[in-house]
Amino acid sequence: MNYYVDIKAALGGDGSEKYPFRSIQQAADIALPGDVVTVLPGIYREHVYPVHAGEEGKPIVYCSAEPLKAVITGAESVKNWVKLEGNVWKAEIDNAVFGDYNPYTTNVSGDWLIPDFSHTGDVYLNHKSLYEVETLDEVKNPQRSKVCWDPDFSVYTWYTEQDEEKNVTVLYANFRGADPNKEDVEISVRQNCFMPKENGIGYITLSGFTVREAATQWAPPTAYQDGMIGPHWSKGWVIEDCEIYESKCSGISLGKYLQPNNNNKWLHKKYKDGTQTERDCILQASYEGWDKEHIGSHRVRRCNIHDCGQTGIVGHLGGVFSIIENNHIHHINNKQNLKGAEIGGIKMHAAIDCIYRHNHIHHCTRGIWLDWQAQGTRVTGNYFHDNTVPIINEKTSMEEFAVLFKSSSIGEDLFIEVAHGPTLVDNNIMLSIRSVKLPTQGCAFVHNLFGGSITAVGTGTDNNDGVRSCRYTPYHEHHGTKVEGFMTILHGDNRFYNNIFMQRPMLPCIMAMHNNRKNMPEGMLSWDDMNYAVGTETFSEYPTFEEWDAQFEGYVGMGSDTPHVHRYYGHLPCWYGGNVYLGGAVPSAKDTGAFVDEKSEVKFLIKENNGEVKIRTNLMEIIPDRAKLISSDVLGYAFEPEQRFEAPDGSAIIFNEDIAGNRRAKINAGPFTSDSIELDYSL
């Protein structure tokens, strides 16, 4: 059955092409497996909640008749602004508009959030959110932000208060000379745009829509995870060819269902540490239907996701077995009004058998953050750059840098935290100051280009608040969700094959911090080693497999006479082969076969136009052709789960293609097969 929706239609339509429905929800109330809902151009101010699930092979498809011309928004237009003084205007909104959820009395809150005054609501000028402040005086006399990524716009400010006598929400805003009654000024009213109210509404496709401006709540792993779009704990969704922007917190949620007994429990009850409540919610989910048959296996593809406050895509448990590919994710958390963990272009917990491929991720506080249970996860063919806060520049002092680092870190392309692997990272370009933050184990890095450092090696896995508390993390059955055990992170168990490490000049504050890192306060070093040098030198103290294996020679158990060593609790071994170190990048002392060239000048030119990325480089003239073909058989298996580095279906991976899918005629380090390459990231 085909249903049609047109916001311009007369009331009383039957959903036919001749007499379309006027709201998407009318179609969502009756659409059944195999049905298609075609939405004509227009602005649809509604929270669409699919009522019925599709079926495997027979999804319910919601599509925009013209790409991006059907807009689903959580906002309402406001045209009753009255000038207060100067550039400051005032509007009163009847609280009946908000129903049982008023974003201007609801604060952003949740586990792992650094508390602030932010409300879930926002004020938008021509679809760009203004900056909320704490007082009316800050609206009248706005100050440029010192931490946001767009300081020129930070003087567009707003403030809210309640008039209880009138039962209205009062908004004050500084529009900097613009007339809000003539411009397109909106406020967010609804919490979501396209998300079921119930669990289990699976096999839904959302295609070609613009989705924007919702008052979403903070989405930590120990809570119901909110988003403008989301499957709400189900299976088989496809979200494709959409533009998604200006969510207060998260754009897309592939995340966790509501557990009333464990919903921001750390924040509200406080007695259990957050990592313990997270373990609780993981095990509870495993008893309540968290498995491959019912949850996950979503596809997010060819979407343009930008200007969201917390994440572009968030998920815990609900995103398992998913593929996120060919997306453009950028300018996430740029206002810096939300601080804490759970921030990034993509922030996923328990990314079991997930594939992140061919995404272009830039200008985010963090690119991709894989937290806990990155088992069977693959990050391949992605292009990362500028995932570093912009106030780090030539003029930044080391003292300023230290303050910034302590409050929000400085960002990185890829963050893998407290997981046992196997986590596979291959054929990526990573050009931010920090390429990878690695407080984890069980990773394989193959054919990548590192333009930044690997940080947090050997640290960042314990809760160090005076009393050591290890973060015991679960590992699972192979290619499934059943928990097979818990273990703390020993570090190591990493493989580095056929990568290029390219050291670039450090900013003065970065160099000063790097050189002074051993003198930093212990509390800072417990979460990050402050390394900004490119290469694998920080793994020099990690054993080779032969050195690690020798600890167990002659040892036959507790009754053995072998002198006691920390064989079961020391660092795990690392493996190397075919790596290239340029421009001063330094190899591990154990990477004995490394090719090191400090003299050759590396030329690297990147041009971007409408999503198409063209790269020209002389790397192919510098690096040797002596690398060997890498496959799952070479990589072996991750130590704790005893699972091979392989595809989700259990088949072997052979790394015989480059980042653009070109066949490797010869095997060389890095993600390229030629000195001129075009990457199609266009949407």
Side-chain angles (χ1 to χ4, degrees), residues 136-166:
L136 178 56
D137 184 65
E138 292 172 279
V139 177
K140 296 178 179 179
N141 301 287
Q143 302 295 313
R144 283 168 57 93
S145 169
K146 296 181 179 179
V147 297
C148 79
W149 296 44
D150 186 4
D152 289 342
F153 199 75
S154 68
V155 293
Y156 289 75
T157 55
W158 68 274
Y159 166 72
T160 187
E161 60 187 18
Q162 292 293 305
D163 187 329
E164 295 182 2
E165 185 175 332
K166 293 183 179 179

mmCIF file of all heavy atoms in Angstrom, residues 136-166:
data_model
loop_
_atom_site.group_PDB
_atom_site.id
_atom_site.type_symbol
_atom_site.label_atom_id
_atom_site.label_comp_id
_atom_site.label_asym_id
_atom_site.label_seq_id
_atom_site.Cartn_x
_atom_site.Cartn_y
_atom_site.Cartn_z
ATOM 1 N N LEU A 136 19.753 37.844 32.316
ATOM 2 C CA LEU A 136 19.287 38.792 31.313
ATOM 3 C C LEU A 136 20.386 39.787 30.960
ATOM 4 O O LEU A 136 20.497 40.219 29.804
ATOM 5 C CB LEU A 136 18.039 39.519 31.828
ATOM 6 C CG LEU A 136 17.447 40.591 30.916
ATOM 7 C CD1 LEU A 136 17.108 40.021 29.543
ATOM 8 C CD2 LEU A 136 16.218 41.219 31.573
ATOM 9 N N ASP A 137 21.205 40.142 31.928
ATOM 10 C CA ASP A 137 22.289 41.078 31.657
ATOM 11 C C ASP A 137 23.242 40.532 30.599
ATOM 12 O O ASP A 137 23.779 41.292 29.790
ATOM 13 C CB ASP A 137 23.062 41.382 32.941
ATOM 14 C CG ASP A 137 24.145 42.429 32.714
ATOM 15 O OD1 ASP A 137 23.790 43.593 32.404
ATOM 16 O OD2 ASP A 137 25.343 42.079 32.825
ATOM 17 N N GLU A 138 23.443 39.201 30.567
ATOM 18 C CA GLU A 138 24.329 38.609 29.561
ATOM 19 C C GLU A 138 23.687 38.612 28.175
ATOM 20 O O GLU A 138 24.380 38.439 27.176
ATOM 21 C CB GLU A 138 24.702 37.181 29.972
ATOM 22 C CG GLU A 138 25.589 37.100 31.191
ATOM 23 C CD GLU A 138 25.766 35.677 31.670
ATOM 24 O OE1 GLU A 138 24.847 35.170 32.373
ATOM 25 O OE2 GLU A 138 26.808 35.058 31.351
ATOM 26 N N VAL A 139 22.374 38.780 28.119
ATOM 27 C CA VAL A 139 21.716 38.992 26.828
ATOM 28 C C VAL A 139 21.921 40.435 26.377
ATOM 29 O O VAL A 139 22.214 40.710 25.210
ATOM 30 C CB VAL A 139 20.215 38.658 26.916
ATOM 31 C CG1 VAL A 139 19.519 38.957 25.581
ATOM 32 C CG2 VAL A 139 20.009 37.204 27.304
ATOM 33 N N LYS A 140 21.793 41.347 27.323
ATOM 34 C CA LYS A 140 21.954 42.759 26.996
ATOM 35 C C LYS A 140 23.413 43.113 26.695
ATOM 36 O O LYS A 140 23.692 43.966 25.845
ATOM 37 C CB LYS A 140 21.450 43.619 28.151
ATOM 38 C CG LYS A 140 19.953 43.482 28.414
ATOM 39 C CD LYS A 140 19.532 44.335 29.611
ATOM 40 C CE LYS A 140 18.045 44.243 29.869
ATOM 41 N NZ LYS A 140 17.629 45.057 31.051
ATOM 42 N N ASN A 141 24.330 42.452 27.373
ATOM 43 C CA ASN A 141 25.759 42.748 27.208
ATOM 44 C C ASN A 141 26.527 41.453 26.949
ATOM 45 O O ASN A 141 27.277 40.973 27.800
ATOM 46 C CB ASN A 141 26.303 43.436 28.470
ATOM 47 C CG ASN A 141 25.575 44.718 28.787
ATOM 48 O OD1 ASN A 141 25.746 45.724 28.102
ATOM 49 N ND2 ASN A 141 24.737 44.677 29.837
ATOM 50 N N PRO A 142 26.338 40.869 25.781
ATOM 51 C CA PRO A 142 26.947 39.557 25.522
ATOM 52 C C PRO A 142 28.463 39.646 25.375
ATOM 53 O O PRO A 142 29.000 40.642 24.893
ATOM 54 C CB PRO A 142 26.297 39.125 24.209
ATOM 55 C CG PRO A 142 25.947 40.409 23.525
ATOM 56 C CD PRO A 142 25.565 41.360 24.625
ATOM 57 N N GLN A 143 29.137 38.581 25.814
ATOM 58 C CA GLN A 143 30.587 38.484 25.711
ATOM 59 C C GLN A 143 30.948 37.325 24.785
ATOM 60 O O GLN A 143 30.322 36.264 24.821
ATOM 61 C CB GLN A 143 31.207 38.256 27.089
ATOM 62 C CG GLN A 143 30.865 39.339 28.112
ATOM 63 C CD GLN A 143 31.433 40.688 27.732
ATOM 64 O OE1 GLN A 143 32.604 40.804 27.371
ATOM 65 N NE2 GLN A 143 30.586 41.719 27.800
ATOM 66 N N ARG A 144 31.971 37.540 23.970
ATOM 67 C CA ARG A 144 32.426 36.474 23.083
ATOM 68 C C ARG A 144 32.926 35.284 23.901
ATOM 69 O O ARG A 144 33.669 35.439 24.861
ATOM 70 C CB ARG A 144 33.560 36.969 22.185
ATOM 71 C CG ARG A 144 33.094 37.827 21.024
ATOM 72 C CD ARG A 144 34.273 38.521 20.366
ATOM 73 N NE ARG A 144 35.286 37.585 19.901
ATOM 74 C CZ ARG A 144 35.351 37.067 18.680
ATOM 75 N NH1 ARG A 144 34.416 37.397 17.789
ATOM 76 N NH2 ARG A 144 36.309 36.250 18.327
ATOM 77 N N SER A 145 32.498 34.106 23.507
ATOM 78 C CA SER A 145 32.959 32.900 24.176
ATOM 79 C C SER A 145 34.443 32.674 23.894
ATOM 80 O O SER A 145 34.925 32.913 22.783
ATOM 81 C CB SER A 145 32.165 31.686 23.694
ATOM 82 O OG SER A 145 32.751 30.494 24.126
ATOM 83 N N LYS A 146 35.160 32.203 24.912
ATOM 84 C CA LYS A 146 36.581 31.904 24.758
ATOM 85 C C LYS A 146 36.837 30.435 24.435
ATOM 86 O O LYS A 146 37.979 30.045 24.208
ATOM 87 C CB LYS A 146 37.334 32.293 26.035
ATOM 88 C CG LYS A 146 37.309 33.784 26.337
ATOM 89 C CD LYS A 146 38.096 34.096 27.605
ATOM 90 C CE LYS A 146 38.083 35.592 27.893
ATOM 91 N NZ LYS A 146 38.837 35.923 29.141
ATOM 92 N N VAL A 147 35.797 29.628 24.431
ATOM 93 C CA VAL A 147 36.004 28.195 24.223
ATOM 94 C C VAL A 147 35.227 27.623 23.039
ATOM 95 O O VAL A 147 35.540 26.527 22.576
ATOM 96 C CB VAL A 147 35.639 27.396 25.492
ATOM 97 C CG1 VAL A 147 36.548 27.768 26.642
ATOM 98 C CG2 VAL A 147 34.177 27.594 25.877
ATOM 99 N N CYS A 148 34.204 28.319 22.547
ATOM 100 C CA CYS A 148 33.408 27.747 21.461
ATOM 101 C C CYS A 148 34.165 27.831 20.145
ATOM 102 O O CYS A 148 35.173 28.522 20.017
ATOM 103 C CB CYS A 148 32.058 28.443 21.355
ATOM 104 S SG CYS A 148 32.107 30.033 20.512
ATOM 105 N N TRP A 149 33.660 27.152 19.134
ATOM 106 C CA TRP A 149 34.329 27.077 17.838
ATOM 107 C C TRP A 149 33.899 28.203 16.900
ATOM 108 O O TRP A 149 34.463 28.357 15.831
ATOM 109 C CB TRP A 149 34.032 25.722 17.178
ATOM 110 C CG TRP A 149 34.573 24.531 17.912
ATOM 111 C CD1 TRP A 149 34.521 24.289 19.258
ATOM 112 C CD2 TRP A 149 35.247 23.413 17.340
ATOM 113 N NE1 TRP A 149 35.112 23.087 19.550
ATOM 114 C CE2 TRP A 149 35.563 22.520 18.399
ATOM 115 C CE3 TRP A 149 35.599 23.057 16.040
ATOM 116 C CZ2 TRP A 149 36.224 21.312 18.193
ATOM 117 C CZ3 TRP A 149 36.250 21.846 15.838
ATOM 118 C CH2 TRP A 149 36.563 20.992 16.900
ATOM 119 N N ASP A 150 32.874 28.957 17.271
ATOM 120 C CA ASP A 150 32.379 30.059 16.436
ATOM 121 C C ASP A 150 32.157 31.281 17.326
ATOM 122 O O ASP A 150 31.026 31.681 17.600
ATOM 123 C CB ASP A 150 31.072 29.645 15.753
ATOM 124 C CG ASP A 150 30.574 30.682 14.754
ATOM 125 O OD1 ASP A 150 31.284 31.687 14.528
ATOM 126 O OD2 ASP A 150 29.461 30.488 14.216
ATOM 127 N N PRO A 151 33.239 31.889 17.807
ATOM 128 C CA PRO A 151 33.087 32.994 18.771
ATOM 129 C C PRO A 151 32.320 34.183 18.228
ATOM 130 O O PRO A 151 31.665 34.900 18.992
ATOM 131 C CB PRO A 151 34.536 33.364 19.115
ATOM 132 C CG PRO A 151 35.374 32.793 18.012
ATOM 133 C CD PRO A 151 34.658 31.584 17.523
ATOM 134 N N ASP A 152 32.340 34.417 16.916
ATOM 135 C CA ASP A 152 31.601 35.550 16.358
ATOM 136 C C ASP A 152 30.098 35.400 16.571
ATOM 137 O O ASP A 152 29.391 36.393 16.777
ATOM 138 C CB ASP A 152 31.897 35.686 14.860
ATOM 139 C CG ASP A 152 33.308 36.187 14.588
ATOM 140 O OD1 ASP A 152 33.929 36.752 15.506
ATOM 141 O OD2 ASP A 152 33.798 35.994 13.462
ATOM 142 N N PHE A 153 29.609 34.173 16.535
ATOM 143 C CA PHE A 153 28.170 33.962 16.711
ATOM 144 C C PHE A 153 27.795 33.815 18.178
ATOM 145 O O PHE A 153 26.612 33.858 18.532
ATOM 146 C CB PHE A 153 27.705 32.719 15.934
ATOM 147 C CG PHE A 153 26.217 32.685 15.696
ATOM 148 C CD1 PHE A 153 25.634 33.502 14.740
ATOM 149 C CD2 PHE A 153 25.393 31.857 16.445
ATOM 150 C CE1 PHE A 153 24.256 33.485 14.532
ATOM 151 C CE2 PHE A 153 24.021 31.827 16.249
ATOM 152 C CZ PHE A 153 23.450 32.651 15.282
ATOM 153 N N SER A 154 28.780 33.660 19.046
ATOM 154 C CA SER A 154 28.485 33.420 20.464
ATOM 155 C C SER A 154 27.856 34.627 21.149
ATOM 156 O O SER A 154 27.348 34.508 22.268
ATOM 157 C CB SER A 154 29.757 33.005 21.208
ATOM 158 O OG SER A 154 30.677 34.078 21.294
ATOM 159 N N VAL A 155 27.867 35.795 20.510
ATOM 160 C CA VAL A 155 27.228 36.981 21.093
ATOM 161 C C VAL A 155 25.736 37.041 20.758
ATOM 162 O O VAL A 155 25.037 37.949 21.210
ATOM 163 C CB VAL A 155 27.933 38.277 20.628
ATOM 164 C CG1 VAL A 155 29.337 38.343 21.212
ATOM 165 C CG2 VAL A 155 27.972 38.372 19.118
ATOM 166 N N TYR A 156 25.234 36.082 19.989
ATOM 167 C CA TYR A 156 23.794 35.923 19.788
ATOM 168 C C TYR A 156 23.294 35.067 20.953
ATOM 169 O O TYR A 156 23.447 33.842 20.954
ATOM 170 C CB TYR A 156 23.498 35.243 18.456
ATOM 171 C CG TYR A 156 23.761 36.094 17.237
ATOM 172 C CD1 TYR A 156 25.060 36.343 16.790
ATOM 173 C CD2 TYR A 156 22.698 36.645 16.514
ATOM 174 C CE1 TYR A 156 25.302 37.121 15.666
ATOM 175 C CE2 TYR A 156 22.924 37.416 15.386
ATOM 176 C CZ TYR A 156 24.228 37.655 14.968
ATOM 177 O OH TYR A 156 24.469 38.423 13.846
ATOM 178 N N THR A 157 22.726 35.696 21.959
ATOM 179 C CA THR A 157 22.441 35.014 23.219
ATOM 180 C C THR A 157 20.957 35.018 23.554
ATOM 181 O O THR A 157 20.191 35.849 23.045
ATOM 182 C CB THR A 157 23.219 35.674 24.370
ATOM 183 O OG1 THR A 157 22.916 37.073 24.401
ATOM 184 C CG2 THR A 157 24.723 35.496 24.191
ATOM 185 N N TRP A 158 20.557 34.088 24.429
ATOM 186 C CA TRP A 158 19.176 34.050 24.906
ATOM 187 C C TRP A 158 19.136 33.599 26.362
ATOM 188 O O TRP A 158 20.042 32.944 26.868
ATOM 189 C CB TRP A 158 18.297 33.165 24.039
ATOM 190 C CG TRP A 158 18.588 31.681 24.080
ATOM 191 C CD1 TRP A 158 19.502 30.996 23.336
ATOM 192 C CD2 TRP A 158 17.940 30.703 24.909
ATOM 193 N NE1 TRP A 158 19.474 29.658 23.654
ATOM 194 C CE2 TRP A 158 18.518 29.449 24.606
ATOM 195 C CE3 TRP A 158 16.926 30.760 25.868
ATOM 196 C CZ2 TRP A 158 18.131 28.264 25.227
ATOM 197 C CZ3 TRP A 158 16.532 29.576 26.499
ATOM 198 C CH2 TRP A 158 17.127 28.352 26.177
ATOM 199 N N TYR A 159 18.035 33.972 27.005
ATOM 200 C CA TYR A 159 17.823 33.667 28.418
ATOM 201 C C TYR A 159 16.337 33.393 28.616
ATOM 202 O O TYR A 159 15.490 33.955 27.913
ATOM 203 C CB TYR A 159 18.279 34.850 29.280
ATOM 204 C CG TYR A 159 17.816 34.815 30.713
ATOM 205 C CD1 TYR A 159 18.362 33.916 31.625
ATOM 206 C CD2 TYR A 159 16.824 35.699 31.167
ATOM 207 C CE1 TYR A 159 17.925 33.891 32.943
ATOM 208 C CE2 TYR A 159 16.391 35.678 32.490
ATOM 209 C CZ TYR A 159 16.947 34.767 33.363
ATOM 210 O OH TYR A 159 16.518 34.744 34.662
ATOM 211 N N THR A 160 16.026 32.522 29.562
ATOM 212 C CA THR A 160 14.623 32.194 29.803
ATOM 213 C C THR A 160 14.280 32.262 31.288
ATOM 214 O O THR A 160 15.149 32.050 32.152
ATOM 215 C CB THR A 160 14.284 30.784 29.270
ATOM 216 O OG1 THR A 160 12.875 30.570 29.379
ATOM 217 C CG2 THR A 160 15.032 29.703 30.038
ATOM 218 N N GLU A 161 13.002 32.563 31.556
ATOM 219 C CA GLU A 161 12.467 32.517 32.914
ATOM 220 C C GLU A 161 10.977 32.220 32.819
ATOM 221 O O GLU A 161 10.381 32.283 31.742
ATOM 222 C CB GLU A 161 12.708 33.840 33.654
ATOM 223 C CG GLU A 161 12.069 35.043 33.001
ATOM 224 C CD GLU A 161 12.461 36.370 33.664
ATOM 225 O OE1 GLU A 161 13.460 36.380 34.392
ATOM 226 O OE2 GLU A 161 11.762 37.376 33.425
ATOM 227 N N GLN A 162 10.385 31.868 33.950
ATOM 228 C CA GLN A 162 8.966 31.534 34.000
ATOM 229 C C GLN A 162 8.165 32.652 34.661
ATOM 230 O O GLN A 162 8.571 33.211 35.687
ATOM 231 C CB GLN A 162 8.755 30.237 34.777
ATOM 232 C CG GLN A 162 9.294 28.996 34.099
ATOM 233 C CD GLN A 162 8.541 28.665 32.826
ATOM 234 O OE1 GLN A 162 7.312 28.522 32.821
ATOM 235 N NE2 GLN A 162 9.286 28.561 31.729
ATOM 236 N N ASP A 163 7.046 32.995 34.050
ATOM 237 C CA ASP A 163 6.065 33.878 34.685
ATOM 238 C C ASP A 163 4.934 32.971 35.165
ATOM 239 O O ASP A 163 4.039 32.596 34.390
ATOM 240 C CB ASP A 163 5.553 34.920 33.683
ATOM 241 C CG ASP A 163 4.648 35.964 34.335
ATOM 242 O OD1 ASP A 163 3.945 35.609 35.315
ATOM 243 O OD2 ASP A 163 4.631 37.113 33.874
ATOM 244 N N GLU A 164 4.988 32.588 36.419
ATOM 245 C CA GLU A 164 4.038 31.610 36.946
ATOM 246 C C GLU A 164 2.620 32.167 37.016
ATOM 247 O O GLU A 164 1.640 31.424 36.877
ATOM 248 C CB GLU A 164 4.510 31.132 38.313
ATOM 249 C CG GLU A 164 5.829 30.362 38.254
ATOM 250 C CD GLU A 164 6.258 29.846 39.610
ATOM 251 O OE1 GLU A 164 5.512 30.065 40.595
ATOM 252 O OE2 GLU A 164 7.344 29.232 39.687
ATOM 253 N N GLU A 165 2.510 33.462 37.222
ATOM 254 C CA GLU A 165 1.170 34.061 37.299
ATOM 255 C C GLU A 165 0.449 33.948 35.968
ATOM 256 O O GLU A 165 -0.744 33.627 35.906
ATOM 257 C CB GLU A 165 1.282 35.523 37.739
ATOM 258 C CG GLU A 165 -0.064 36.188 37.967
ATOM 259 C CD GLU A 165 0.078 37.600 38.514
ATOM 260 O OE1 GLU A 165 1.089 37.881 39.203
ATOM 261 O OE2 GLU A 165 -0.821 38.414 38.254
ATOM 262 N N LYS A 166 1.176 34.201 34.876
ATOM 263 C CA LYS A 166 0.579 34.103 33.540
ATOM 264 C C LYS A 166 0.660 32.680 32.980
ATOM 265 O O LYS A 166 0.052 32.383 31.953
ATOM 266 C CB LYS A 166 1.301 35.048 32.574
ATOM 267 C CG LYS A 166 1.115 36.520 32.846
ATOM 268 C CD LYS A 166 1.839 37.326 31.765
ATOM 269 C CE LYS A 166 1.673 38.815 31.945
ATOM 270 N NZ LYS A 166 2.406 39.577 30.880
#
